[in-house]
Amino acid sequence: MNARVEASSLRPGRAHVHEHAGDVFTCDRRQDFVPNVIRTHRGGRWRRVDRSKNAGEWAKFVHRSEMLVFDVDDGGEGGPGIVTGVIPSKEDATARLAALAPEPGMTVAEVGTDCGWTAASLEHLLQGGQVVTVADTERLAEIARQRLRPYPRVRVVNGSEAGVMGPAGSFHGLLSHRAVRHVPWEWVTRIRPGGRLCLPVRTALGGSSTLLVLTVARDGASASGRFHAGPAHQTVWLREHRPGEGISVESQGSPRASEADARGAHVRLAARLFAGLLRPDLRMQVVRGVAQFEGDVADRLRIHDHQASRAVVFLHSPRVYEWGPRDLGSDLFDALGQWHAAGEPEVEQLGVTITEMEHTLWLGAPDGPSWRLPELHTITGGVERHAP
């Protein structure tokens, strides 16, 4: 494996992006790309805010800096409430552009077109370069095309296969606005040697995304890079990487009980990232103490895999209750224990090297302490059911 990459290549060049950051957000104003109907979440449901009916409320949301949601359940009504169209916050967009470090004349692939604002920003920074931006669906692609008509150097495509971007080696860099659980090797093959991929990584253990920046090796056989510390990124899942609902496990009968010290283990972003990468099939929710379980009301973790096991872990005591054939609490605490044994590293101390056949998490440098990451499909045996 060609895992070694010069340390300087792992640090994104920020000078060029910072030089133009003010230009891009005044030239291509985010509000000019926002659809006339956006969504806000209130009272446990998504509510429409229509510019034609309430321009003042619409403007109030649009002129804020945070992420905007404009599409839920692919435009359908009465669905499960899956967010399918967003416009990133200015802070997130700036951080991703800075990490990618685009330069004039480059050709860049973008994943997650949404309304086209970030694609227009990229075109402005590339100053004569090309942008191929991939929308999740043809409906979203058409929304973006309408807003990107003044930007002839942006091409909008849609589809889940990497081939829609173009042939291998087509791009100098790739920028994703969709969170992934592992880096698709097909994305790496689209980038030329020395090129950069900037993408948010998220695990099913919960929490926000962490920005990962990879540089493709000179021989094109691997890509390596670090996670970046900074503000928590708000992202939606790449459709193919959404955690599935799994198979329901009934809580009938007496659970197996064991003990483990879980206090505080779930809180640290670095711990969740580390454990989630080592155990990619585990899904975790933090449940606040509003419901009673065996006479106690307490904060707890609910863990399940995508097959037939689940666990409840109480955070105020060492109690763990297990159902199904697998001890999920032990699996989670084993991964967290490896993070503790490594010195509780922060996210910026961690990095990843990937090849076509292998993903490796490392500490400090590509030749430092490392952990081979399992592929999700090899753990679940192909039974995971992804959200539609």
Side-chain angles (χ1 to χ4, degrees):
M1 182 198 320
N2 184 1
R4 188 176 297 276
V5 178
E6 292 298 326
S8 61
S9 70
L10 300 177
R11 294 190 292 267
R14 297 175 177 267
H16 174 79
V17 176
H18 285 175
E19 178 185 349
H20 293 285
D23 296 340
V24 65
F25 294 121
T26 54
C27 175
D28 300 319
R29 299 179 304 165
R30 189 175 72 152
Q31 59 266 30
D32 294 341
F33 291 83
V34 179
N36 289 330
V37 176
I38 58 175
R39 302 285 190 128
T40 63
H41 198 260
R42 292 182 183 176
R45 66 184 183 89
W46 288 99
R47 188 173 67 87
R48 292 164 57 94
V49 179
D50 193 328
R51 185 180 189 180
S52 64
K53 297 177 180 178
N54 194 334
E57 186 180 18
W58 182 90
K60 179 183 70 174
F61 286 107
V62 168
H63 287 280
R64 292 175 180 174
S65 63
E66 60 258 30
M67 182 179 75
L68 290 171
V69 175
F70 70 89
D71 196 66
V72 177
D73 296 324
D74 290 318
E77 298 294 337
I82 297 175
V83 175
T84 48
V86 299
I87 303 177
S89 69
K90 294 182 179 180
E91 183 180 45
D92 283 355
T94 302
R96 293 171 201 165
L97 286 168
L100 184 68
E103 297 180 0
M106 281 185 170
T107 299
V108 173
E110 181 188 56
V111 177
T113 306
D114 292 314
C115 292
W117 171 58
T118 51
S121 302
L122 265 173
E123 193 222 41
H124 178 75
L125 290 171
L126 294 175
Q127 299 179 22
Q130 301 282 340
V131 179
V132 175
T133 183
V134 184
D136 291 357
T137 65
E138 179 56 32
R139 191 174 66 85
L140 289 178
E142 191 53 38
I143 291 173
R145 288 187 186 108
Q146 292 174 11
R147 286 159 176 77
L148 288 167
R149 284 174 182 166
Y151 301 87
R153 293 187 177 275
V154 178
R155 181 166 65 93
V156 182
V157 298
N158 76 283
S160 60
E161 299 296 327
V164 302
M165 300 178 190
S170 298
F171 302 99
H172 296 93
L174 180 145
L175 175 64
S176 177
H177 304 291
R178 295 289 184 265
V180 298
R181 286 195 278 173
H182 60 85
V183 181
W185 176 249
E186 294 78 11
W187 289 8
V188 177
T189 64
R190 264 60 197 171
I191 310 306
R192 301 173 187 176
R196 182 171 288 165
L197 297 91
C198 176
L199 61 166
V201 173
R202 189 175 172 188
T203 77
L205 294 187
S208 57
S209 302
T210 306
L211 199 61
L212 174 65
V213 180
L214 299 171
T215 300
V216 179
R218 291 182 179 180
D219 61 2
S222 66
S224 189
R226 295 183 185 276
F227 292 98
H228 282 220
H233 287 264
Q234 294 179 297
T235 51
V236 298
W237 288 103
L238 185 72
R239 289 183 179 234
E240 295 73 29
H241 287 218
R242 290 175 186 163
E245 294 302 319
I247 299 173
S248 177
V249 180
E250 298 295 332
S251 300
Q252 298 175 353
S254 299
R256 302 185 303 280
S258 60
E259 294 186 357
D261 187 0
R263 285 168 287 191
H266 69 288
V267 176
R268 300 274 295 276
L269 173 61
R272 287 198 192 193
L273 175 67
F274 188 101
L277 290 172
L278 264 60
R279 300 289 186 271
D281 63 327
L282 296 189
R283 187 171 184 179
M284 183 177 76
Q285 294 174 302
V286 180
V287 182
R288 298 306 174 188
V290 295
Q292 189 162 318
F293 184 82
E294 290 197 351
D296 290 325
V297 177
D299 291 352
R300 59 197 185 276
L301 306 179
R302 289 196 307 202
I303 312 166
H304 70 76
D305 61 9
H306 296 282
Q307 298 186 57
S309 298
R310 75 180 187 93
V312 174
V313 181
F314 284 91
L315 298 178
H316 76 295
S317 72
R319 288 181 297 162
V320 181
Y321 295 92
E322 305 269 6
W323 291 266
R326 183 176 168 196
D327 291 335
L328 301 187
S330 297
D331 279 358
L332 175 62
F333 297 130
D334 174 71
L336 291 171
Q338 293 185 60
W339 177 74
H340 285 295
E344 302 187 359
E346 298 296 342
V347 294
E348 65 269 23
Q349 296 174 270
L350 299 172
V352 174
T353 295
I354 71 169
T355 67
E356 184 176 7
M357 303 302 296
E358 184 175 296
H359 290 203
T360 303
L361 176 69
W362 44 260
L363 173 62
D367 57 355
S370 63
W371 300 261
R372 182 172 179 178
L373 300 180
E375 286 288 346
L376 186 63
H377 65 81
T378 63
I379 293 181
T380 62
V383 300
E384 180 182 7
R385 295 191 294 109
H386 290 276

